[in-house]
Amino acid sequence: MASSTSDDDFITVVCSNPNPIQANTTSTDIEILISVTNIPSWDLPSILCHQTVKVQAHRNRLIQHSSYFNGLLSGSFSESGLDCIAIEWNLEAFLHILNCIYDCPLDVTSNNFLPLYEGALYFGVEMLLMRCKTWFSEVVSTEVPPQVQLDDLISIWSFGLEHARDFLPELCGSYLARNFMWAISMNCFVDIPYDLLLSCVKHMNLTVDSEMHLSNALLVWIDANTECMEGLSRNEDVCTGILKQIRLSLLPLWFAAEKRSSCHFSKFADESIDSIFRLLRIPSTGSVDALGASHLHDLRIRLTKFSKRVNLSSCSQITSAVLLLSLLPSANSIDYILRGIGQSPFNLERLDRDQCSEVLNLLPTLSFEAVQEVDISKCPRLHLQSAIECFRKSFPSLRILKAAFLLKFKISTLRKLVRKCPMVCEVDLTTDTSPIISSQVSIVSSSPAITPQISNLSLNVRDMTSFYNSGLSIAKLTLEGRNDLYDSDLQYISRFCVSLQYVNLKGCTSLTDVGIASLLRRCIKLHSVLVCDTSFGINSVLALCSSSSNHIAVEQIENELLDSLALNLQILHMGSCKCVDETSLLKLMSQMQKLKSLCLSDTHLSDGALYSFRGSSLEVLDISNTMVSNAAVAYLVSGNPGLKCLKARGCRNLSQQESDPQKREFSISYSCRELHNEIGRTCMLEEIALGWGFSYTSLEALKPAITSLRKITVGLGGLLGEDGLRKLPTICPMLESIILYFQVISDRTIMNIMANLKKLVVLAFCHCLGDISILSFKFPMPNLRKLKLERVTPWMNNNDLFILTQSCANLVELSLLGCTLLDSESQQIISQGWPGLVSIHLEECGRVTTMGVSSLLDCKALEDLLLRHNGPGLQRSFIFDAASKLPMLRKVSLDFCDAAEGDFDIPNYGDRHFLSTLKIAKCKLQKGLKVSFVKAPRRRQVHKETLVLVWNSSTVTRTVVKERL
């Protein structure tokens, strides 16, 4: 039928959905007729239930706003004379296009962008094309969390490439580069097309927390796409092309060492290790020319205006020069800039505080205002004073600094940090905890370094005011393991960090109860206190239990608190604090009502203290090695249904029944099974550690509570049995850590665990009974990172060890005890099979060190090395040699029995490199039992004592203890 030419002429557009509608539609008609005259009131959900929609629209408006309809209705096509035309298109997208043509509200979202853009492109609706382009440009340019899902981004990129819309691939590449850390957390990251990924990693705004994150993400992508690339001529080029974008000099040593076994990355890993050791050979006070101009670009840390975190952890090669190089505008101009001011960045280490600040003020350093977190843990060559100056200039919004295992970072350095970077609110200064805990060892002799108990900090009035004003922001402070921390240092902290909410003093053995109490009295905002292995005692308990308004002048309190600090505590960890008696502990427990995490292991904890607890929010409870009963634990568990972690190893009373009329409703013969039933009814646990009283029947009782369990430890006194271990993977399919002591194991149970728990990260069998073989370990466990086999594999030989390297290929920690058939060739098997090991413990392993130690030192990233009773082949200079060849080595444990010359040279403070703890055990000969057919009693070696040397920020302490540490 011919149409008229009136401006108000209508034309009917019949749009059919190319895909059949859902079968569950409630509509009985396959067609519906609608008109644009009432377009604002369209009910889209009901309209879209039809397969075909007939829309009455104005002919001229379609012609004016759509090049498709302009050509179809006003040209020489036969349809131009019709008043009804048919198209086939996605109904929802077409109706949205009509909304746009008629100036109705239309929201472009990540879900409808591509259908809208494709429709606008096909129908030639310029206004919609511009709206879509504007929306997408704004969304991908915003700095808020990603608003376009990764799978949608991939589809948009592919569409733009297919339809020659260059701006789409460019914007997608830029968006992916800026949000790379978000993208790698998505399951569909491996679906990113190669060309998009390559453009992303080459983009100037590629934003990653560290070069390791980039490397790992690319390897994950390559592994996932290897199969589809096999047979293609460009397979090798694909891998090489994308991996060569990595700045190998900036990888952590342990990561590079581990990836030497990667088929795709082995060549790059070797290059990375060579580059790292080349940098380590350059003195930290050397010349900038030593870097070489060609390598400057690869030494620049990736920093963009979108960077929020900078992770340099375990990069032992990082110096102030490398840090400064990354903060200057261009690597090409650095030489010119530095010569212009007469300084080299390496020479920053030689400058005092004021000179360093002056030099940095002359440099045109860039500012990265989005950076909020920096991690320089295990970067021993980084000059801290220079680094802080760099943070001051380039990271003005810095809030979190992690500087763990840096002995040079003293309290005086902390003072400088908070003065220079006033926004910092969280600082982590963790170091290795000293093995000399007075409550746990018997000291034979000790020669502690002469260190003043009064801090050597000297603050004038101006510094005190400055420190006070800046220190107000410190809310979380971790000082774990700092045995050079004294009461006087706590006085400074408590005086200037008045906003402190979280403090970790675990293992700070030089602190006194009085000093800790003083801190608690002053810092009235504290809600988390971690003081395990310290002198925390009665004075500290009194400080927690006293009214906070008594501890500080009223005018210094914004909101006066009339309640005790204990009332508001959320975390209290005081394990091994034996100075707290039962009475004090009971008083403390009665006041804590908001507690979420509580550690009372190895304390004088009694049932009365548990009964006095009134809190109902506990998520973590550690009562290991205490004398609590089943009834008391059940009482506490019943009132805390949110409990996620329960540790009760070493609680001998849990294997007994109690009958005490004073123990409320739990008083009559409360058994282990009843306790476990209570846990099963009440909790949903993620971690559990039990011993005495734990059995196969307990596992059944706990079943409702442990279906989401991730970590389990069964210690002495527990007996899962073969049936329990066999059912463990079925009951707890999400397990990531299994640690068993003194359990009965077999090939059948271990094979079942290895075959079904593919997410296992930690596996330990210690002093277990049963007949097992290498068959137990033939299942591949790619996710296993820590393996401990102690007194369970005496049959293990070199061939078995090699099989272990194949099945558990990604280990970073290995502990073997009692593998008496191993020999010196085992070293090479270990170093080649697990080149990325950071911890090796070998004790009583045959003749592994009889010929000395060579191949083991090829594990370049070692941080912890224990070699005892493996053969007397260790040279006198072994400690110094190991510390000089292994830049990350912090802990060494040896035995004088293995010394080829009967003794070891102890490095002095300056020659120890990164070493912080040295333990050397000593044995003595003991007469054995006299046997009738032996003329004389046999003599065997037994432990006598252990020499322990602990280095801190300035001195070394030498202690001899009876225990074998």
Side-chain angles (χ1 to χ4, degrees):
M1 182 184 298
S3 64
S4 65
T5 59
S6 170
D7 290 341
D8 294 329
D9 276 350
F10 280 90
I11 185 171
T12 301
V13 181
V14 182
C15 182
S16 299
N17 201 331
N19 301 314
I21 60 175
Q22 295 284 334
N24 61 354
T25 177
T26 57
S27 175
T28 57
D29 300 323
I30 62 172
E31 291 185 354
I32 186 174
L33 177 65
I34 59 176
S35 174
V36 295
T37 55
N38 61 349
I39 192 170
S41 60
W42 280 358
D43 183 4
L44 283 181
S46 62
I47 294 174
L48 294 176
C49 290
H50 299 79
Q51 183 68 39
T52 301
V53 176
K54 294 181 178 180
V55 185
Q56 291 183 333
H58 298 91
R59 176 189 297 269
N60 286 341
R61 195 168 187 98
L62 293 179
I63 292 173
Q64 290 172 6
H65 295 286
S66 166
S67 59
Y68 173 88
F69 288 113
N70 181 53
L72 189 67
L73 301 179
S74 63
S76 58
F77 292 102
S78 59
E79 288 85 353
S80 61
L82 301 178
D83 58 5
C84 181
I85 58 174
I87 61 171
E88 190 175 83
W89 202 259
N90 177 280
L91 285 181
E92 185 175 6
F94 182 70
L95 294 178
H96 282 317
I97 290 172
L98 289 178
N99 270 275
C100 179
I101 290 176
Y102 281 88
D103 297 326
C104 291
L106 176 61
D107 291 329
V108 182
T109 68
S110 59
N111 293 326
N112 66 15
F113 167 77
L114 196 55
L116 286 180
Y117 189 81
E118 185 177 12
L121 192 62
Y122 181 84
F123 290 104
V125 183
E126 286 296 331
M127 66 171 69
L128 183 55
L129 281 174
M130 184 58 63
R131 182 181 296 186
C132 288
K133 184 175 181 178
T134 300
W135 176 86
F136 191 64
S137 299
E138 291 176 351
V139 165
V140 298
S141 300
T142 185
E143 296 184 20
V144 299
Q147 297 184 27
V148 180
Q149 295 303 309
L150 185 56
D151 51 355
D152 292 332
L153 189 76
I154 294 172
S155 300
I156 293 170
W157 179 87
S158 300
F159 177 85
L161 205 64
E162 181 181 348
H163 292 82
R165 294 284 151 172
D166 293 342
F167 84 95
L168 284 177
E170 291 175 5
L171 289 177
C172 287
S174 173
Y175 181 82
L176 185 59
R178 289 189 285 105
N179 297 286
F180 194 80
M181 292 302 298
W182 159 80
I184 64 179
S185 66
M186 300 290 125
N187 291 331
C188 59
F189 173 78
V190 296
D191 299 325
I192 296 176
Y194 170 76
D195 291 330
L196 173 58
L197 186 61
L198 184 61
S199 68
C200 165
V201 297
K202 285 184 173 182
H203 199 279
M204 61 180 295
N205 282 331
L206 176 62
T207 304
V208 291
D209 291 355
S210 72
E211 210 66 19
M212 180 192 69
H213 286 90
L214 173 62
S215 306
N216 201 53
L218 297 183
L219 287 173
V220 168
W221 184 91
I222 290 173
D223 288 340
N225 289 274
T226 296
E227 186 175 344
C228 64
M229 293 189 299
E230 281 183 359
L232 298 178
S233 58
R234 64 188 298 232
N235 184 14
E236 185 175 348
D237 293 338
V238 165
C239 295
T240 303
I242 203 164
L243 291 177
K244 70 180 182 181
Q245 305 302 320
I246 299 170
R247 298 176 184 178
L248 300 174
S249 299
L250 297 177
L251 291 176
L253 184 56
W254 70 266
F255 181 84
E258 180 184 31
K259 297 306 176 183
R260 291 173 69 182
S261 57
S262 168
C263 58
H264 302 298
F265 200 71
S266 57
K267 181 183 72 173
F268 294 97
D270 288 337
E271 290 180 19
S272 176
I273 293 173
D274 290 343
S275 178
I276 290 170
F277 275 89
R278 187 165 55 249
L279 288 170
L280 290 173
R281 286 191 290 270
I282 300 174
S284 61
T285 55
S287 169
V288 68
D289 296 331
L291 289 173
S294 60
H295 297 287
L296 291 182
H297 175 75
D298 291 335
L299 284 172
R300 289 177 69 88
I301 302 164
R302 293 184 194 269
L303 288 168
T304 71
K305 65 179 181 179
F306 308 102
S307 297
K308 294 182 179 179
R309 286 175 292 275
V310 181
N311 187 347
L312 303 175
S313 176
S314 297
C315 292
S316 56
Q317 68 275 25
I318 295 294
T319 63
S320 300
V322 176
L323 180 60
L324 178 59
L325 176 66
S326 309
L327 304 178
L328 293 173
S330 170
N332 298 326
S333 62
I334 183 172
D335 225 14
Y336 171 78
I337 293 172
L338 294 172
R339 287 196 182 98
I341 63 171
Q343 295 291 344
S344 157
F346 281 116
N347 291 335
L348 290 176
E349 279 83 348
R350 295 177 178 174
L351 303 176
D352 61 28
R353 180 180 66 182
D354 295 332
Q355 290 175 320
C356 181
S357 179
E358 290 174 4
V359 169
L360 285 173
N361 286 333
L362 294 175
L363 293 174
T365 52
L366 301 173
S367 179
F368 302 93
E369 297 185 2
V371 172
Q372 295 187 12
E373 179 179 335
V374 174
D375 191 345
I376 56 172
S377 302
K378 301 179 186 177
C379 295
R381 287 163 54 86
L382 185 62
H383 187 261
L384 295 174
Q385 189 165 286
S386 301
I388 291 173
E389 289 293 338
C390 290
F391 299 159
R392 174 185 65 83
K393 283 205 68 180
S394 295
F395 304 147
S397 302
L398 183 64
R399 297 182 61 81
I400 301 174
L401 178 66
K402 298 180 180 179
F405 305 104
L406 297 181
L407 296 182
K408 297 182 297 183
F409 206 118
K410 306 177 184 180
I411 296 301
S412 57
T413 314
L414 175 63
R415 179 174 67 87
K416 295 170 187 174
L417 171 69
V418 297
R419 187 164 58 87
K420 297 285 186 177
C421 305
M423 296 288 289
V424 170
C425 62
E426 180 179 335
V427 181
D428 184 355
L429 303 180
T430 299
T431 61
D432 292 308
T433 300
S434 170
I436 307 299
I437 306 297
S438 58
S439 62
Q440 301 175 9
V441 298
S442 302
I443 298 176
V444 176
S445 65
S446 181
S447 55
I450 301 176
T451 307
Q453 297 298 303
I454 298 177
S455 175
N456 57 7
L457 290 178
S458 176
L459 302 181
N460 55 38
V461 175
R462 186 183 66 178
D463 285 343
M464 290 172 64
T465 304
S466 174
F467 192 25
Y468 175 79
N469 291 334
S470 55
L472 287 172
S473 62
I474 296 290
K476 185 174 182 179
L477 183 59
T478 300
L479 299 167
E480 181 175 332
R482 309 291 308 205
N483 62 4
D484 55 348
L485 188 71
Y486 295 97
D487 290 356
S488 52
D489 298 314
L490 284 192
Q491 291 177 15
Y492 280 102
I493 293 171
S494 63
R495 182 169 184 175
F496 301 115
C497 299
V498 294
S499 298
L500 201 61
Q501 300 174 18
Y502 174 107
V503 63
N504 183 349
L505 302 174
K506 178 181 177 182
C508 295
T509 54
S510 299
L511 297 176
T512 68
D513 183 28
V514 173
I516 297 173
S518 177
L519 174 76
L520 298 177
R521 289 191 183 95
R522 284 186 170 273
C523 299
I524 61 172
K525 295 183 179 180
L526 277 172
H527 59 62
S528 300
V529 178
L530 293 80
V531 287
C532 298
D533 300 322
T534 67
S535 298
F536 179 92
I538 296 176
N539 290 302
S540 298
V541 171
L542 290 175
L544 287 175
C545 295
S546 302
S547 175
S548 58
S549 59
N550 296 330
H551 304 324
I552 191 166
V554 175
E555 60 268 22
Q556 296 182 20
I557 305 176
E558 292 183 15
N559 300 309
E560 186 172 349
L561 301 175
L562 299 179
D563 299 317
S564 68
L565 199 61
L567 182 65
N568 296 309
L569 277 183
Q570 297 177 19
I571 299 176
L572 177 62
H573 290 185
M574 47 173 287
S576 298
C577 294
K578 297 184 181 297
C579 296
V580 181
D581 57 25
E582 290 186 26
T583 303
S584 299
L585 198 51
L586 190 148
K587 179 180 180 180
L588 178 60
M589 290 287 286
S590 66
Q591 292 198 22
M592 296 186 295
Q593 299 182 17
K594 301 179 181 179
L595 214 57
K596 294 182 178 180
S597 181
L598 176 63
C599 174
L600 298 171
S601 61
D602 291 289
T603 62
H604 299 298
L605 179 64
S606 64
D607 285 359
L610 289 187
Y611 283 125
S612 67
F613 184 68
R614 296 290 181 269
S616 59
S617 305
L618 268 185
E619 297 177 4
V620 177
L621 175 64
D622 186 353
I623 50 174
S624 305
N625 300 316
T626 60
M627 300 304 292
V628 294
S629 67
N630 288 310
V633 177
Y635 169 77
L636 190 142
V637 168
S638 66
N640 291 271
L643 197 65
K644 297 178 181 179
C645 172
L646 175 62
K647 297 180 180 180
R649 273 182 63 203
C651 298
R652 289 179 174 270
N653 285 354
L654 295 185
S655 64
Q656 304 171 5
Q657 294 186 356
E658 311 86 15
S659 180
D660 187 343
Q662 295 181 354
K663 292 180 179 177
R664 307 183 186 185
E665 62 269 31
F666 296 97
S667 61
I668 303 176
S669 294
Y670 208 86
S671 67
C672 299
R673 182 171 181 81
E674 289 173 299
L675 167 62
H676 298 146
N677 283 334
E678 182 65 38
I679 297 173
R681 286 192 299 267
T682 307
C683 306
M684 184 60 67
L685 296 173
E686 296 178 3
E687 181 176 358
I688 193 168
L690 296 171
W692 296 98
F694 187 63
S695 64
Y696 167 67
T697 56
S698 305
L699 194 66
E700 289 293 325
L702 287 170
K703 190 174 180 178
I706 59 177
T707 54
S708 300
L709 199 68
R710 297 186 182 276
K711 299 180 181 180
I712 184 170
T713 301
V714 182
L716 181 64
L719 185 59
L720 273 178
E722 186 168 344
D723 288 340
L725 288 175
R726 180 170 50 83
K727 287 193 173 183
L728 195 60
T730 303
I731 297 175
C732 312
M734 301 176 67
L735 275 176
E736 297 175 1
S737 174
I738 298 178
I739 302 175
L740 303 178
Y741 296 90
F742 302 102
Q743 298 300 299
V744 178
I745 57 177
S746 65
D747 276 342
R748 181 183 176 186
T749 56
I750 298 178
M751 289 168 68
N752 185 47
I753 289 173
M754 302 280 277
N756 293 290
L757 296 176
K758 295 298 184 181
K759 295 182 179 180
L760 266 185
V761 177
V762 179
L763 183 62
F765 300 123
C766 305
H767 304 276
C768 293
L769 305 175
D771 187 15
I772 65 172
S773 68
I774 192 60
L775 293 175
S776 298
F777 301 98
K778 285 194 172 182
F779 287 90
M781 298 288 288
N783 293 318
L784 196 67
R785 305 292 279 171
K786 301 178 182 180
L787 178 64
K788 181 182 290 188
L789 301 174
E790 298 186 351
R791 302 288 188 198
V792 293
T793 54
W795 42 261
M796 183 178 289
N797 56 32
N798 287 342
N799 291 332
D800 300 327
L801 185 62
F802 177 78
I803 292 173
L804 202 60
T805 64
Q806 303 303 301
S807 57
C808 307
N810 296 314
L811 292 185
V812 293
E813 294 187 16
L814 173 68
S815 179
L816 300 177
L817 171 59
C819 302
T820 56
L821 299 182
L822 299 181
D823 57 30
S824 57
E825 293 182 5
S826 304
Q827 292 190 42
Q828 188 172 10
I829 296 173
I830 291 173
S831 62
Q832 291 183 353
W834 298 301
L837 284 174
V838 298
S839 175
I840 297 178
H841 286 198
L842 301 177
E843 186 168 3
E844 297 182 23
C845 289
R847 296 172 289 111
V848 171
T849 60
T850 301
M851 306 297 291
V853 175
S854 55
S855 298
L856 279 184
L857 300 186
D858 290 336
C859 296
K860 300 296 186 181
L862 274 177
E863 300 178 12
D864 181 7
L865 178 62
L866 183 149
L867 298 173
R868 284 177 171 169
H869 287 183
N870 303 306
L874 301 186
Q875 297 300 312
R876 190 181 186 93
S877 61
F878 174 76
I879 299 170
F880 175 81
D881 294 340
S884 60
K885 292 178 181 179
L886 304 173
M888 304 303 294
L889 189 64
R890 301 193 320 276
K891 297 186 284 187
V892 174
S893 302
L894 305 173
D895 196 300
F896 283 112
C897 296
D898 295 332
E901 302 176 41
D903 201 357
F904 295 104
D905 291 332
I906 307 298
N908 58 38
Y909 191 90
D911 294 332
R912 65 182 176 84
H913 295 274
F914 201 29
L915 203 60
S916 65
T917 305
L918 173 63
K919 297 181 289 185
I920 309 178
K922 186 176 183 179
C923 296
K924 64 181 178 180
L925 292 176
Q926 184 182 61
K927 291 183 179 181
L929 293 176
K930 186 173 182 179
V931 185
S932 59
F933 54 83
V934 180
K935 294 183 178 180
R938 288 176 296 180
R939 299 168 67 85
R940 63 189 180 93
Q941 290 184 329
V942 296
H943 175 72
K944 179 183 178 182
E945 59 192 21
T946 304
L947 170 65
V948 182
L949 290 96
V950 178
W951 285 270
N952 58 32
S953 59
S954 57
T955 56
V956 59
T957 301
R958 182 187 183 105
T959 308
V960 177
V961 299
K962 291 182 179 180
E963 290 77 9
R964 186 174 180 83
L965 300 180

